[in-house]
Amino acid sequence: MTSIQPPAETIWWKQPLDRVEGTWIAIALVWSLIMFVMMPVWHIYGKQNLSNEAYRTTPAAYMAKTQAMVDQYTVRTETDQQIPVVKPPPGSDVYLLGRLWQWWPILELEKGQTYRLHIASMDWQHGFSLQPQNINLQILPGYEMVLTITPDTSGDQTIICNEFCGIGHHNMVGKIFITEGGS
Amino acid sequence: MTTETFRTCPESGLQFHKPAETLMRMNAVVAVVMLLIGGLSALAVTLTRWPAVHLLPADRFYQLLTFHGINMLIFWIIFFEIAVLYFCSSTLLKCRLATPRLAWLAFFLMVAGAVVNNLAVFGGQATVMMTSYVPMPANPNFYLGLILFAVGALIGCFIFLGTLVIAKEEKTYEGSIPLVTFGALTACIIAIFTIAMGAVILIPTYMWSMGWISHIDAALYRLIWWAFGHSSQQINVAAHVSVWYAIAAIVFGAKPLSEKVSRTAFVLYIAFLQLASAHHLLVDPGLSSSWKIFNTSYAMYLAVLASMIHGLTVPGSIEVAQRAKGYTKGMFEWLRKAPWGNPVFSGMFLSLIGFGFLGGISGVVMGTEQINIIIHNTIYVPGHFHATVVIGTTLAFMSLTYFLIPVLFRRQVFLPGLAKWQPYIFGIGMMVFSLMMMGAGTLGVERRHWDMAFTDAAIGFDYPASAYTLMGLVGISGSAAILGGGIFILITVVSVFFGKRVESESSYGTETTRLMKAEPTITPQGGHAAAGKWGFAAPGTFAMAIFFLAVFVVYYAINWKYLASVWPMS
């Protein structure tokens, strides 16, 4: 038994490196550096990056902004709960809020257009999970996250909550409709 | 000087200090009790996420999921780790344990903390998941229990350090501390950092729950909570890597390829791993990309490098030991002729493979700033950490237990025929379980979610049929793994409490021996590489490492490609 005994050589740190170890450390270090570089490289050349633009907010202030958008751009309502469907103009600021247990309002965006999507929580922490796109963001109370998105697929996207937020968590579902552009 | 009583185990040559022996036994026994209740809740949770079964109602599911996380990730593992710390100090260094009375205080504080926390969860007022993200409130006893437990664990850490001091003072060993003790020391240092972070966040949260503080910022909570939550997983990594080295030494008489490399890799864990809370905040508002990139990787992934080094040096040390015994045919005779029927070895080796291939690769991939967008909070995440914590840590601890039953508890292993199969049932079950979860997560299935069919939601959503198939396989493989865990508990409990005693004599006395240095390596001409191929001491291990790297590179590239298919955003 040896790894559970003191090293044979008292000056163990001067023991020469074994070739198999030296080779592997060199390879692994190069790979680690490649993985590190990939992240800044994707910020330059890749198209999927978070802006990490965010502001402090309060539920009241954020609600007011969202309500103003809803009042201005609601086109119809959906479901028994009469959830407003909002169709803001391309390029505009779009507000989405998460609260127990709803994503509100429903958004209708045009394919190929760019929007500044704001998201914040009114109460506890929520998880914005856009399916089947599979875009997942952490949504916190007190913080307004801003994301510039360009939907490039048509059809419905569903927003589910993937951060546990109490007993109604699994019923917290919202919607983003993507329409063909050119209207 | 007071006389301390010791006994020497005739089979292993290990020397046990009597008070330390009792403490190790008690900590290990309570650990297994925690594993049992954590395992029962695991069954209920797994059967609920299996869509065809959907066992529990929603409130009970979230409650038991909270209970499962805390009992497994915190109580089972840390009770066992305290036993490991005492073993790596007192037993391995042939030294008396520092302040056994305080060690009992630590033990009872941990038990009290676990009971208080579990009662809060069972009371139904603390269904907040292990992470207890503010501002979701929990009964104050939830936090109080965790604080009591942490104080106990902290005392245990200082007893470990005190024992190292005594061993040095009383010269119970020659030269430097053994590699395994060194690894345990790194685990202990990370644990102290972790508990400090836990105190920084849980004490204010407790005060908030009592109404003494009005507000805790959600982003700040996450930053500090994860400095505690992620670091606690690094304790596990340092501890189970130490256990791998210990088992390689126990089963094969293996010695590290070089002390320098293995020890430096442990030091890298201290320097670069325990700050890694950033992995959990990659899609959080309020943090810049440069902060995220730097803190997720420290510019060069030195902690990942450390694990890649251990992943080579642990099997490499086994290969060298096996080749020295004459298993030199081809690349892999040393591995083929390894004792696959000995659960101490088979469990450890499955732990190593599962941790590296499943846990390690998935962890790095999802810890990449942008790739996290397609993974965060999906069931991929529990897929990843079941590979690291359950296959990596729990399975390594199970393997060590098979060694400890005769050595520490002086009992024969009950049903040795079944024990041979246990690591395979548990390990392979868990590997499939993790893989299926990762697959379902890639399809967007959420974690911590009662109903993937959204039956009661105002707006519905249908996952593809393949997601249901994968979640069904999660249920089946999870149940298989739980069966393997149940067999482990059956074997250990019956062995320890009702098992046949080991026949050899091992009586207590006051005589002790000194821990001697390892035999110097008899270096064949041209270095010990002469026993291997191409100047490599461990060519088989190197080939496996290159295979690992190939899998890593391919999987990493696939995830970037998948990311490139989602909506452009900036």
Side-chain angles (χ1 to χ4, degrees), chain A residues 1-10 12-21 23-25 27-29 31-43 46-54 56 79 81 83 103 106 109 123-127 129-153 155 157-158 160-176 178, chain B residues 12 58-59 62 127 129 133-137 174 176-180 217-219 222 245 249 253-261 263 282-289 292-293 296-297 299-301 305 308-309 312-313 364 368-370 373-378 441-444 446 448-450 454 456-461 463 515-520 528 534-538 542 545 549 552-553 556 560 562-564 566-570:
Chain A
M1 291 184 198
T2 47
S3 290
I4 56 174
Q5 278 180 289
E9 300 83 4
T10 310
W12 50 263
W13 56 90
K14 289 199 173 162
Q15 210 184 324
L17 213 65
D18 193 277
R19 189 166 172 183
V20 70
E21 286 181 307
T23 314
W24 177 244
I25 291 170
I27 295 171
L29 184 62
W31 173 236
S32 299
L33 286 169
I34 292 172
M35 290 195 297
F36 166 69
V37 170
M38 265 311 286
M39 292 187 283
V41 163
W42 196 264
H43 272 278
K47 289 199 169 65
Q48 292 76 18
N49 289 291
L50 297 181
S51 66
N52 290 311
E53 186 182 344
R56 281 196 184 276
T79 78
Q81 299 172 8
I83 305 169
W103 293 105
I106 293 173
L109 309 178
D123 34 56
W124 295 350
Q125 302 196 17
H126 295 290
S129 179
L130 192 70
Q131 299 296 338
Q133 270 295 305
N134 205 10
I135 294 171
N136 303 279
L137 306 166
Q138 188 77 23
I139 306 305
L140 306 180
Y143 290 84
E144 177 176 343
M145 179 188 253
V146 188
L147 194 67
T148 306
I149 55 159
T150 312
D152 63 358
T153 57
Q157 294 290 331
T158 304
I160 57 182
C161 181
N162 68 5
E163 183 57 76
F164 174 68
C165 59
I167 190 61
H169 166 53
H170 46 272
N171 295 330
M172 182 168 169
V173 182
K175 210 88 192 169
I176 300 182
I178 310 298
Chain B
S12 64
D59 56 344
Y62 291 128
T127 299
M129 301 295 141
Y133 287 140
V134 298
M136 183 191 288
E174 293 185 315
S176 306
I177 56 173
L179 175 64
V180 171
D217 183 83
R222 288 171 59 79
Y245 278 114
K255 62 168 56 182
L257 294 176
S258 72
E259 296 277 354
K260 179 166 59 182
V261 170
R263 287 175 197 237
L282 294 175
V283 295
D284 275 31
L287 300 165
S288 71
S289 284
K292 289 173 179 176
I293 290 175
T296 195
S297 66
M300 47 187 10
Y301 284 105
L305 179 71
M308 287 174 80
I309 292 172
L312 177 93
T313 56
V364 177
T368 305
E369 192 211 359
Q370 296 94 338
I373 296 169
I374 53 173
I375 292 177
H376 180 75
N377 269 357
T378 65
T442 305
L443 295 173
E446 354 62 339
R448 297 175 165 180
H449 200 279
W450 177 67
F454 304 98
D456 301 327
I459 300 170
F461 175 65
Y463 279 109
L515 179 65
M516 307 306 273
K517 281 185 197 173
E519 294 290 313
H528 63 151
W534 323 306
F536 283 175
F542 189 76
L549 184 70
F552 199 163
V553 171
Y556 186 71
W560 281 111
Y562 175 27
L563 176 70
V566 309
W567 289 355
M569 62 187 115
S570 58

Side-chain angles (χ1 to χ4, degrees), chain B residues 137-356:
Chain B
N139 182 310
N141 285 343
F142 177 89
Y143 312 105
L144 184 65
L146 292 179
I147 293 167
L148 288 176
F149 184 86
V151 172
L154 187 63
I155 295 173
C157 289
F158 282 110
I159 287 167
F160 169 81
L161 295 177
T163 308
L164 294 193
V165 173
I166 292 173
K168 182 98 193 155
E169 197 83 346
E170 297 183 355
K171 298 189 171 58
T172 66
Y173 63 96
E174 293 185 315
S176 306
I177 56 173
L179 175 64
V180 171
T181 307
F182 189 90
L185 174 60
T186 61
C188 175
I189 292 169
I190 298 170
I192 291 168
F193 171 86
T194 302
I195 293 168
M197 289 300 108
V200 171
I201 197 59
L202 288 175
I203 292 172
T205 308
Y206 173 68
M207 293 164 82
W208 167 75
S209 72
M210 294 296 286
W212 303 335
I213 290 180
S214 63
H215 176 72
I216 293 180
D217 183 83
L220 181 74
Y221 178 93
R222 288 171 59 79
L223 178 74
I224 304 174
W225 196 92
W226 280 113
F228 153 72
H230 195 98
S231 309
S232 72
Q233 305 319 310
Q234 308 329 322
I235 311 171
N236 303 341
V237 173
H240 78 230
V241 172
S242 304
V243 169
W244 292 346
Y245 278 114
I247 289 175
I250 289 161
V251 176
F252 299 97
K255 62 168 56 182
L257 294 176
S258 72
E259 296 277 354
K260 179 166 59 182
V261 170
S262 296
R263 287 175 197 237
T264 306
F266 273 121
V267 172
L268 288 179
Y269 279 153
I270 301 179
F272 295 99
L273 252 177
Q274 86 279 25
L275 305 164
S277 74
H279 296 149
H280 301 264
L281 313 176
L282 294 175
V283 295
D284 275 31
L287 300 165
S288 71
S289 284
S290 38
W291 187 92
K292 289 173 179 176
I293 290 175
F294 185 76
N295 286 285
T296 195
S297 66
Y298 298 108
M300 47 187 10
Y301 284 105
L302 286 176
V304 174
L305 179 71
S307 284
M308 287 174 80
I309 292 172
H310 290 305
L312 177 93
T313 56
V314 173
S317 70
I318 294 174
E319 178 170 356
V320 170
Q322 286 281 80
R323 284 182 183 275
K325 284 181 199 146
Y327 298 113
T328 53
K329 235 193 277 165
M331 297 261 272
F332 294 111
E333 192 194 18
W334 63 276
L335 190 58
R336 271 201 320 277
K337 299 269 172 76
W340 292 101
N342 177 356
V344 181
F345 167 74
S346 63
M348 170 259 157
F349 208 82
L350 287 172
S351 162
L352 177 97
I353 297 292
F355 179 79

